[in-house]
Amino acid sequence: MRPPYLLLDIDGVLIPFPNADGSTPATHARHDVVPTGRSADNPVTVWLDPAHGPMLMDVIRTGLVTPLWCTSWRQDATTLIGPLLGLPTLSYVDLPRPQITTSHPNGYLWKRDHVDAWLGDAPAVWIDDDFTGLDHEWAAERTAKGTSTLLIQPDPHHGLQPEHLTGLTTWVSQLPTARAA
């Protein structure tokens, strides 16, 4: 059986949001990138922790998950962000570009309906900083119906931490399919 998907967001997970004073974690390095649709004279500045690449590769190498991007960066995640962290080319969930003014137009993360349809009955670990209580209820309901689902929600000002990946690996290794492998 296929390992659970590891759905990985970028903003607030790998790229922290600045604190009120505009600072970002000292562990993160500045990079200027040019996303699709922007010109080279108008890059986007991102702050990435170089330790995230090796940490994520340690998880990927276990073979316990099938990693892919689940971010509004879409294909730019694999062409711009991944290489800066030393990550291999990963597929991505092709999210739409909704015309919304909030991340939670229906009380839950806007990506969820698209992710739910994309996943079908596949198990998943989803790392995103922007879940609501309704998203956690959705994950619990999927799990109760036999589709193991774990949501990991980093603090958007600190981003992904080693303990998040330790928890992910522990959770996935306890799934029946992981023990049978």
Side-chain angles (χ1 to χ4, degrees):
M1 182 174 268
R2 168 178 230 149
Y5 286 106
L6 168 57
L7 304 172
L8 189 60
D9 184 33
I10 291 181
D11 294 317
V13 174
L14 299 178
I15 301 172
F17 291 109
N19 291 314
D21 65 1
S23 67
T24 57
T27 53
H28 288 61
R30 178 190 170 130
H31 301 274
D32 290 328
V33 297
V34 182
T36 301
R38 289 187 80 118
S39 65
D41 61 347
N42 189 21
V44 172
T45 299
V46 297
W47 296 87
L48 296 168
D49 183 344
H52 281 157
M55 287 177 4
L56 287 165
M57 284 306 301
D58 286 347
V59 171
I60 292 168
R61 282 190 197 103
T62 68
L64 293 172
V65 294
T66 301
L68 65 145
W69 299 109
C70 185
T71 172
S72 58
W73 284 80
R74 295 167 190 80
Q75 75 275 5
D76 287 338
T78 202
T79 59
L80 298 177
I81 304 302
L84 292 171
L85 295 172
L87 297 176
T89 298
L90 302 177
S91 295
Y92 62 95
V93 177
D94 194 13
L95 297 168
R97 297 183 191 275
Q99 299 299 313
I100 56 176
T101 58
T102 175
S103 294
H104 313 106
N106 298 310
Y108 53 86
L109 184 57
W110 70 271
K111 299 175 192 175
R112 193 181 88 201
D113 290 332
H114 307 286
V115 166
D116 191 38
W118 188 90
L119 284 173
D121 63 357
V125 178
W126 187 0
I127 303 176
D128 200 300
D129 65 296
D130 208 11
F131 297 122
T132 70
L134 292 176
D135 296 305
H136 290 281
E137 289 175 20
W138 167 81
E141 288 171 14
R142 279 177 52 90
T143 299
K145 292 176 182 174
T147 303
S148 300
T149 305
L150 174 66
L151 302 185
I152 298 175
Q153 188 168 4
D155 178 309
H157 298 285
H158 300 283
L160 189 66
Q161 300 296 308
E163 59 268 20
H164 295 128
L165 297 177
T166 300
L168 175 160
T169 303
T170 300
W171 182 83
V172 171
S173 67
Q174 295 173 355
L175 294 175
T177 55
R179 288 194 301 265

